[in-house]
Structures are given as C-alpha cells and as structure tokens.
Amino acid sequence: MKQFFASSLGRLRLVGLLEGLSFLLLLGIAMPLKYFFGQPAAVRVVGMAHGALFVLYCVLVIGAAVQYSWSWRKTALALLASVVPLGTFWADAKLFREEEAAG
C-alpha cells in the first residue's frame, strides 16, 4: 500500500482502482437497486463518490501526463479508460504499471 503514496503515478493507480470499483458498484448494485427495487438512495451515495473519484482521476491523469511527458495517445487512452467499465483496471495493467517499471 505504501507504494501507492510514494509517487504521483502511484496515487493515480490508487484513485484509478477506486474509481473503477465505484463505477462497477454504481452499475452493478446501485442502479439495479434504483430501477428494479425503487431504492434511489444507493445511486445518490455511490454516484456522488464515483463522480468525485472520476474528476480526481482525470486531474491525476493530466498531471501524470505532464510530469512523465506522455504522448497524446497514451493520455487519451488513460482518460477514455475512465468512461468504460473495467477501463481503469486495464489502464492500470497496461499503461501505468509499465510507466512505473520504466521510471
């Protein structure tokens, strides 16, 4: 866990994992609770957390792109990953870990 706080890339990886998890909770649990069972409270709570994590993830991607001189393609892929279910998990495995290993 300590490696997540040691660098800006580590913080990006941690927020990416949390953002991806919140997206899955929103789509897989909160939305079915709202639309099938009439319980909208879960969407309010999980949706708010996911929104905050989404914005933080985007800010951290832009910061990492500047700090590590990422190409436009890599930056766009990292940002696109935030709107695709399981995308941030892919970005962590394919984009961020290779950057951490090289750096």
Side-chain angles (χ1 to χ4, degrees):
M1 188 60 136
K2 190 175 182 180
Q3 79 268 9
F4 284 123
F5 298 107
S7 67
S8 62
L9 191 59
R11 288 184 290 277
L12 171 60
R13 289 182 61 207
L14 177 63
V15 170
L17 292 173
L18 293 174
E19 193 271 342
L21 181 62
S22 72
F23 196 20
L24 292 177
L25 288 173
L26 183 63
L27 293 176
I29 296 174
M31 300 232 358
L33 281 174
K34 178 179 180 177
Y35 291 109
F36 296 132
F37 302 105
Q39 302 292 324
V43 170
R44 276 188 238 122
V45 173
V46 177
M48 176 93 54
H50 171 68
L53 288 166
F54 173 80
V55 170
L56 183 58
Y57 175 83
C58 291
V59 168
L60 290 174
V61 164
I62 293 167
V66 170
Q67 181 178 354
Y68 294 102
S69 302
W70 287 353
S71 67
W72 284 103
R73 180 181 182 274
K74 186 171 185 171
T75 304
L77 282 173
L79 289 170
L80 182 64
S82 66
V83 297
V84 177
L86 303 175
T88 56
F89 302 115
W90 174 86
D92 181 55
K94 300 294 183 183
L95 300 175
F96 307 147
R97 284 189 191 171
E98 70 182 28
E99 182 74 39
E100 193 169 59

